[in-house]
Amino acid sequence: ILAILRNNEMLTWPEKVKFAIGLLPAIIGGQAYVEAQDGLTVQEWMRKQGVPDRVTTEVFIAMSKALNFINPDELSMQCILIALNRFLQEKHGSKMAFLDGNPPERLCLPIVEHIQSLGGEVRLNSRVQKIELNDDGTVKNFLLTNGNVIDGDAYVFATPVDILKLQLPENWKEMAYFKRLEKLVGVPVINIHIWFDRKLKNTYDHLLFSRSSLLSVYADMSLTCKEYYNPNQSMLELVFAPAEEWISCSDSEIIDATMKELAKLFPDEISADQSKAKIVKYHVVKTPRSVYKTIPNCEPCRPLQRSPVEGFYLAGDYTKQKYLASMEGAVLSGKLCAQAIVQDYVLLAARGKGRLAEASMCP
């Protein structure tokens, strides 16, 4: 709140006052009010509250793209209000953090080692081809593309929602729990890494939010990440979003567009023709379907982690949890999924014994 009040470069005092008055219903109405705003986009809600469009284009375009990689005219206002609630209620709600190295080594590997230390197994390059069912509609096994079959007492599908929808058995598609997933669709996003031949002066050891029409959040990884630390050269990592119109473009076209935007953000240090800072190398990562698109009226479509199919569970940021479409949300969904399995332990154990008994009676 203090940051907004002190920032006279982006908003005038009359705009700040109108914005503060516009937020009063959310503050007074609490969670019930927040949930009721799911039917409005950020832009629609702002106009309804009498908040000037400039507040949306100057402040909330950056927040919208940071939260969901889409613009305020598409994002559900409930998403913004939930995020603001988190910032207000949780001590470190608005704190940013970076891994000190690349995710496969610093995030994934420790998880794999922990699973293996407890007797678990992690198989890579083992895609699920089909969810095979028993006569009663429960999961019989997972058939992999390499021909192997995975049998289990409980099955967890921890993927983006678009992959789950592709794998759903026909018998399940008309169930209300799964049918609601049709409205949940992943957002296209592009991640860009650019190494420059010099150190940029106007960057910080922090995640930076952009009001650019093409760029969302970015950071100078030579400052924020130990693995990429370099006192003489900058490496920018950027989120290129919204990316729907760009996902099919070539890497060179995307880099050219990015450099034009960076020239606006760093006019003294970067030019589109590289006459100032020069690109040493770059890497473009396209994700045609990333986090679910948080548009109006999609909140009721998010499923609980326990499905109506006995022994089948879901995990992923699109499932019900308080951190919306994010890495934090995905992690929390995994914890909630594990809790559901623990709660169902007696039922699952009895089901497993029944299967063993049936197998022993077979000739």
Side-chain angles (χ1 to χ4, degrees):
I1 293 170
L2 282 174
I4 291 173
L5 292 176
R6 288 173 178 170
N7 193 328
N8 296 315
E9 295 176 14
M10 295 171 71
L11 300 176
T12 64
W13 272 102
E15 287 169 337
K16 292 176 190 177
V17 171
K18 287 182 179 179
F19 174 47
I21 293 171
L23 275 180
L24 279 177
I27 295 168
I28 297 168
Q31 188 61 27
Y33 177 86
V34 170
E35 291 175 3
Q37 306 315 301
D38 187 40
L40 297 173
T41 66
V42 176
Q43 187 178 74
E44 289 169 343
W45 186 90
M46 292 289 183
R47 288 175 177 173
K48 183 181 176 184
Q49 300 303 114
V51 180
D53 280 351
R54 226 175 69 84
V55 176
T56 304
T57 56
E58 288 294 304
V59 177
F60 284 93
I61 186 171
M63 190 172 183
S64 296
K65 295 206 296 180
L67 284 170
N68 201 233
F69 310 132
I70 57 177
N71 286 318
D73 62 343
E74 285 191 284
L75 183 70
S76 167
M77 186 59 193
Q78 187 191 48
C79 182
I80 293 282
L81 293 174
I82 288 173
L84 291 175
N85 239 353
R86 294 275 83 80
F87 297 160
L88 288 169
Q89 293 176 5
E90 298 180 10
K91 186 178 179 182
H92 300 297
S94 59
K95 188 175 182 178
M96 304 296 171
F98 289 82
L99 292 173
D100 59 3
N102 66 79
E105 289 182 8
R106 296 298 294 121
L107 180 64
C108 301
L109 188 59
I111 294 172
V112 170
E113 290 173 344
H114 179 69
I115 291 169
Q116 291 173 338
S117 72
L118 297 172
E121 181 185 349
V122 175
R123 297 186 188 180
L124 303 180
N125 302 313
S126 302
R127 295 187 176 213
V128 175
Q129 179 177 310
K130 185 181 179 184
I131 301 173
E132 298 194 313
L133 305 182
N134 294 307
D135 293 338
D136 62 358
T138 57
V139 181
K140 181 180 180 181
N141 55 52
F142 283 176
L143 175 64
L144 305 186
T145 53
N146 59 14
N148 290 341
V149 172
I150 302 296
D151 288 305
D153 298 308
Y155 298 86
V156 177
F157 222 79
T159 69
V161 67
D162 300 278
I163 294 176
L164 169 65
K165 288 192 288 186
L166 287 174
Q167 295 281 8
L168 278 180
E170 287 298 322
N171 305 31
W172 293 358
K173 288 183 178 179
E174 292 307 309
M175 296 170 65
Y177 175 88
F178 294 112
K179 196 170 179 60
R180 287 195 295 266
L181 298 176
E182 290 175 8
K183 191 173 175 66
L184 302 180
V185 179
V187 180
V189 67
I190 300 171
N191 194 269
I192 301 170
H193 301 225
I194 303 178
W195 284 260
F196 288 100
D197 66 345
R198 65 193 69 183
K199 195 76 170 176
L200 300 175
K201 296 173 184 175
N202 292 314
T203 59
Y204 304 88
D205 182 9
H206 208 283
L207 185 68
L208 302 173
F209 294 77
S210 167
R211 290 171 289 155
S212 155
S213 59
L214 293 180
L215 303 179
S216 175
V217 293
Y218 64 97
D220 186 343
M221 301 299 279
S222 68
L223 294 174
T224 61
C225 180
K226 186 167 68 176
E227 183 174 308
Y228 295 111
Y229 173 75
N230 190 322
N232 303 314
Q233 295 179 326
S234 285
M235 191 278 265
L236 293 187
E237 183 171 343
L238 312 104
V239 174
F240 191 103
E244 192 162 359
E245 295 177 8
W246 290 86
I247 204 80
S248 61
C249 294
S250 67
D251 288 0
S252 59
E253 288 175 311
I254 292 167
I255 289 295
D256 287 344
T258 300
M259 287 297 287
K260 287 176 183 175
E261 292 299 305
L262 287 176
K264 299 174 188 175
L265 296 174
F266 300 89
D268 298 329
E269 301 179 87
I270 296 176
S271 62
D273 62 2
Q274 295 189 54
S275 58
K276 297 174 183 176
K278 292 179 174 52
I279 296 176
V280 176
K281 63 177 179 176
Y282 66 80
H283 190 54
V284 176
V285 180
K286 297 178 182 179
T287 308
R289 290 285 181 264
S290 61
V291 296
Y292 74 95
K293 198 172 186 178
T294 313
I295 56 175
N297 300 312
C298 74
E299 187 63 23
C301 302
R302 297 174 66 195
L304 294 170
Q305 288 74 28
R306 181 190 285 109
S307 86
V309 177
E310 189 179 295
F312 186 77
Y313 303 83
L314 300 179
D317 68 337
Y318 68 93
T319 62
K320 282 279 188 184
Q321 41 73 28
K322 64 180 181 178
Y323 290 128
L324 303 170
S326 64
M327 287 184 70
E328 292 88 349
V331 171
L332 180 56
S333 79
K335 290 186 175 183
L336 294 172
C337 179
Q339 286 175 10
I341 294 171
V342 170
Q343 290 165 5
D344 294 348
Y345 173 77
V346 174
L347 174 68
L348 294 168
R351 184 166 168 259
K353 287 177 182 176
R355 287 170 56 204
L356 284 173
E358 285 177 16
S360 65
M361 288 189 290
C362 292

